[in-house]
Amino acid sequence: MSVTAEDRVKIHRYIDEIMDFEGLEGFFFKMAFYVPDDVKTFQYGQGNIPADDQIRTDMRMLVDQCRKLGTPRALFMIPWIEHCIRVLEMLYERDYGEGTEVAGHA
């Protein structure tokens, strides 16, 4: 597979749309590159992104991905990941006061 100039333009256009959100406080991009016999990753973020929320958001995305995959092993992982999310939220409340929520939690 080779990435064409057109592919790059699409990626840049998509990023520009994301960066134009009203009220944007921060962003974090992650990419995985699949190369022979390995996976390379790249991350970049900027702005006000609490570390606790970044981890929680990653876990929520992992749960969504498990649901989309729908394989028995992926579905088996969902309750375990959700438990980890609840523990993170509990620790956040303990550290920052009851009633305090991780950013974006409703």
Side-chain angles (χ1 to χ4, degrees):
M1 176 193 166
S2 64
V3 179
T4 66
E6 185 178 325
D7 293 330
R8 290 185 181 104
V9 168
K10 287 179 185 177
I11 291 169
H12 284 279
R13 189 176 303 127
Y14 183 67
I15 291 171
D16 284 342
E17 288 175 15
I18 292 169
M19 301 302 291
D20 200 30
F21 282 147
E22 190 173 322
L24 185 68
E25 293 183 11
F27 64 89
F28 196 81
F29 290 114
K30 289 186 178 182
M31 296 180 77
F33 302 90
Y34 296 86
V35 294
D37 300 322
D38 200 5
V39 177
K40 306 287 184 192
T41 59
F42 168 78
Q43 307 182 88
Y44 178 74
Q46 187 173 336
N48 181 21
I49 308 167
D52 295 341
D53 193 45
Q54 183 181 329
I55 294 168
R56 180 180 161 274
T57 300
D58 286 346
M59 293 179 128
R60 290 180 71 185
M61 291 171 66
L62 184 57
V63 167
D64 288 344
Q65 192 171 16
C66 287
R67 282 191 187 106
K68 287 177 187 172
L69 285 173
T71 64
R73 289 182 184 176
L75 296 174
F76 176 81
M77 292 302 301
I78 292 173
W80 298 98
I81 300 167
E82 289 175 336
H83 176 72
C84 291
I85 293 168
R86 286 190 298 275
V87 169
L88 276 173
E89 291 170 347
M90 180 187 66
L91 292 172
Y92 191 90
E93 283 189 5
R94 185 195 70 193
D95 291 344
Y96 298 104
E98 195 168 328
T100 306
E101 295 178 344
V102 179
H105 179 65

